[in-house]
Amino acid sequence: MLIYTSGSTGAPKGAMYPESKVANIWRPAANAHWDESQGVVPSIALSFMPMSHVMGRGILYGALASGGTVNFAARADLSTFLEDLALTRPTQLNFVPRIWDMLFQEYQSRMTHGANEADVLEDMRQNLLGGRYVTALTGSAPISPELKAWV
């Protein structure tokens, strides 16, 4: 499998994955190093990354390999991502820093209206994230220290 990077750490380039690595994506037990709950039960995931990105493929293959369901974001530009997330109610959150940033911005937006922090977080867990996630992972680039403290 040939996967292309976006070039966020330099020039865009391709990375070749041998058959053994691609096969491991399909094996739920091989993914347990990310989280002990990963692949244990069928997952419901929201796919938003391009299939030319290893994480995009990983979300799709990992969920299908566990007998799960994958829903796809309605818009590639992520303009409907928060709505897609609320509709999907995923059990597995596989996000990149950009998505955590979107969630943090939503949190900050809700907090500027004088809301109670505990109420805002509970509402986001139940209504935005769907209230049934089992695992949450961050892939790709590291997240900022500010965002890491919030997550």
Side-chain angles (χ1 to χ4, degrees), residues 10 17 33 87 96 109 123:
Y17 282 69
H33 67 277
L87 287 170
V96 293
S109 172
D123 182 62

Side-chain angles (χ1 to χ4, degrees), residues 74-94:
R75 306 277 316 247
D77 66 3
L78 301 179
S79 61
T80 61
F81 182 79
L82 296 179
E83 292 86 358
D84 299 336
L85 187 59
L87 287 170
T88 300
R89 298 181 59 234
T91 59
Q92 188 173 343
L93 307 175
N94 295 315

Side-chain angles (χ1 to χ4, degrees), residues 22-31 34 37-45 54-70 92 94 137:
V22 176
N24 274 343
I25 297 173
W26 283 96
R27 295 185 183 110
N31 293 318
W34 297 109
S37 300
Q38 187 118 357
V40 175
V41 295
S43 64
I44 299 167
V54 71
M55 190 166 169
R57 294 275 180 115
I59 292 169
L60 177 65
Y61 295 170
L64 294 178
S66 71
T69 302
V70 180
Q92 188 173 343
N94 295 315
L137 304 172

Side-chain angles (χ1 to χ4, degrees), residues 102-114:
M102 287 174 68
L103 292 171
F104 186 57
Q105 288 174 10
E106 178 67 16
Y107 161 78
Q108 288 181 314
S109 172
R110 292 180 183 200
M111 287 303 295
T112 59
H113 297 89

Side-chain angles (χ1 to χ4, degrees), residues 100-101 103-104 136-138 143-151:
W100 288 116
D101 216 24
L103 292 171
F104 186 57
L137 304 172
T138 299
I143 59 175
S144 69
E146 299 82 16
L147 192 53
K148 193 171 195 171
W150 180 75
V151 174

